[in-house]
Amino acid sequence: QVQLVESGGGLVQAGGSLRLSCAASGRTFSTYAMGWFRQAPGKEREFVATISWSGGSTYYAESVKGRFTISRDNAKNTVYLQMNSLKPEDTAVYYCAAARRPGVETTPSLYNYWGQGTQVTVSS
């Protein structure tokens, strides 16, 4: 069992930055691929970024490529999402998730554990 707790969300102006963190419980964190997803009001949950268990591979949605960076610290059981050049369309609840597989994964249904989410609001 893995429990995930996100933090770092908030209100920021367009062009600003935020860093989300996701702390995981359990001693098997390093064996999970991790992902960030987001869900805006009235929209389906969408993939944002994913990182392999080792941190050696990452993959991003086109909408955030070049602006967001996913990273992980297996010693701290934490995955991060650095978000720069934020836009109003980035406003959403951001969720981290853990997948019981080594490589990157973009499909939400293949993730085994989810956090409760953290709100990110970008004002224009």
Side-chain angles (χ1 to χ4, degrees), residues 47-102:
F47 164 75
V48 175
T50 179
I51 188 167
S52 62
W53 67 273
S54 68
S57 296
T58 59
Y59 188 77
Y60 298 90
E62 285 298 320
S63 59
V64 306
K65 196 174 294 184
R67 299 188 298 122
F68 291 10
T69 302
I70 188 171
S71 61
R72 68 189 296 163
D73 186 337
N74 286 343
K76 296 183 178 179
N77 279 15
T78 302
V79 62
Y80 305 96
L81 186 67
Q82 177 66 44
M83 304 186 296
N84 299 328
S85 302
L86 282 161
K87 305 175 180 179
E89 52 263 43
D90 294 319
T91 295
V93 177
Y94 282 71
Y95 299 89
C96 75
R100 204 180 294 118
R101 56 186 61 217

Side-chain angles (χ1 to χ4, degrees), residues 11-14 87-88 122-124:
L11 174 63
V12 64
Q13 289 188 332
K87 305 175 180 179
V122 184
S123 63
S124 57

Side-chain angles (χ1 to χ4, degrees), residues 1-47:
Q1 191 79 5
V2 174
Q3 292 185 322
L4 304 172
V5 179
E6 302 96 336
S7 62
L11 174 63
V12 64
Q13 289 188 332
S17 298
L18 282 175
R19 188 195 197 199
L20 304 184
S21 298
C22 173
S25 66
R27 292 180 289 180
T28 58
F29 174 76
S30 62
T31 65
Y32 287 82
M34 299 296 296
W36 286 96
F37 294 79
R38 66 187 181 186
Q39 188 166 18
K43 295 187 177 181
E44 293 187 353
R45 190 170 297 189
E46 66 172 356
F47 164 75

